[in-house]
Amino acid sequence: MNEEMKGEAESVARKSNAKEDRHFVTALARGLEVLACFRSGEKLLGNQELAERSKLPKSTVSRLTYTLTKLGYLQYDDELGKYRLGTATLALGSAMSRLDIRQLARPHMQELADFSHAMVSLGMRDRLSMIYVENCRSQAALTLRLDVGSRIPIATTAMGRAYLAEVPASERSEILERVHELDDYQWPGIRDGIERSIEEYHAIGCCTSFGDWQQDVNAIAIAFKPANGNAVMSLNCGGPAFNLSREFLLNEVKPRLIEVADQLRRT
């Protein structure tokens, strides 16, 4: 199942669960679904594309985009007949950019990125994904090119599995139930990988991904809960496998990654 299909299935599952919750505001959820259709690097989307991605009727999407445009969350391009994210959405991004944890983390992350010649990222959970809220890259010519706002799967990446290992069992069970619903065929392998990662996390202090998410990418990750009350976050270091060996990550990078996470845990 590709990422787009997973996103669509996840949307359907959320709507089904919402019907059972009388406090759930469906109209608000639908509007947020439309905004979530804009992915990193994409600037313009039309109502048809938004309807396909959100799995909402096109007539509903048209009303939502009209409302979001009136509120400044979208801007309409008359020539192309498509929408781009508006200034109100940028204001939300500006608020995110002022998160204290990012400001505190960045110098430590950059130092580790320079040491490892890789990419160091800070992520938070968004439904069944981890979303990057900060990235630091080394000057190495070959490194990962994921940007702030990029999403990666929670169930198959080192960053996501570290998050699952850190959160309470009740939250982890809820997430895994939804992952199972989305991909019943792949679930046994996904479940086994997560169980191994949780055992690994408690045994060696981090989760690893040596070709598990993408065959040519190696990464390790640690999750932590900042003292300021923010939700659990994950910190990872990753890059091309030919440039970032298992031994180097575990022997040289892991102690430094743990140190950075400990510093952020105390903030």
Side-chain angles (χ1 to χ4, degrees):
M1 184 182 291
N2 61 34
E3 290 302 315
E4 185 170 350
M5 290 173 64
K6 287 182 180 179
E8 292 172 355
E10 183 180 334
S11 177
V12 172
R14 286 197 303 274
K15 291 164 190 169
S16 176
N17 293 337
K19 293 177 182 178
E20 303 172 3
D21 189 347
R22 64 187 180 86
H23 297 292
F24 192 87
V25 182
T26 302
L28 174 60
R30 287 177 172 177
L32 294 174
E33 288 284 354
V34 168
L35 293 177
C37 290
F38 289 85
R39 298 164 186 162
S40 179
E42 292 179 331
K43 294 184 177 180
L44 291 163
L45 293 174
N47 280 334
Q48 182 63 42
E49 294 165 297
L50 292 169
E52 291 172 356
R53 292 188 180 185
S54 66
K55 304 301 291 182
L56 293 170
K58 189 175 178 181
S59 58
T60 299
V61 169
S62 297
R63 293 195 300 272
L64 291 170
T65 52
Y66 174 84
T67 303
L68 291 168
T69 301
K70 286 289 186 181
L71 294 174
Y73 289 97
L74 293 178
Q75 292 179 348
Y76 185 67
D77 188 307
D78 291 305
E79 292 185 5
L80 297 176
K82 294 187 176 185
Y83 297 88
R84 61 170 56 86
L85 293 176
T87 53
T89 307
L90 296 177
L92 292 176
S94 177
M96 179 183 287
S97 71
R98 293 193 292 271
L99 284 173
D100 289 345
I101 191 69
R102 296 177 67 204
Q103 297 172 359
L104 292 168
R106 185 166 184 81
H108 302 296
M109 292 170 60
Q110 187 61 59
E111 182 178 354
L112 182 54
D114 292 338
F115 168 81
S116 60
H117 301 290
M119 186 174 80
V120 178
S121 305
L122 185 67
M124 300 178 70
R125 177 194 167 201
D126 181 25
R127 292 166 285 190
L128 298 186
S129 300
M130 298 298 293
I131 183 168
Y132 285 178
V133 298
E134 187 62 277
N135 263 344
C136 291
R137 295 186 181 90
S138 73
Q139 297 302 313
L142 295 172
T143 189
L144 299 179
R145 291 297 171 185
L146 296 170
D147 296 317
V148 169
S150 295
R151 297 171 183 270
I152 59 175
I154 195 169
T156 56
T157 60
M159 175 179 275
R161 289 175 174 179
Y163 178 92
L164 291 171
E166 186 74 16
V167 297
S170 57
E171 180 180 349
R172 181 166 61 246
S173 296
E174 179 184 349
I175 295 170
L176 296 185
E177 182 179 348
R178 292 170 61 191
V179 172
H180 186 184
E181 290 173 354
L182 291 180
D183 198 341
D184 184 64
Y185 179 74
Q186 297 288 342
W187 169 245
I190 293 173
R191 178 197 57 211
D192 292 346
I194 291 171
E195 290 177 353
R196 285 196 305 270
S197 289
I198 292 174
E199 292 176 1
E200 175 182 60
Y201 190 80
H202 295 300
I204 68 173
C206 72
C207 284
T208 66
S209 176
F210 301 126
D212 297 338
W213 173 46
Q214 294 185 5
Q215 190 173 11
D216 57 349
V217 173
N218 285 346
I220 61 172
I222 296 171
F224 64 95
K225 185 174 177 61
N228 63 8
N230 279 348
V232 171
M233 307 182 81
S234 289
L235 187 70
N236 78 345
C237 178
F242 65 82
N243 195 46
L244 207 58
S245 71
R246 174 195 298 256
E247 292 73 22
F248 177 70
L249 280 170
L250 292 177
N251 297 332
E252 302 294 334
V253 174
K254 186 184 76 172
R256 291 169 170 82
L257 193 68
I258 291 174
E259 183 179 350
V260 174
D262 286 343
Q263 290 174 326
L264 297 177
R265 191 179 284 113
R266 294 192 295 267
T267 59

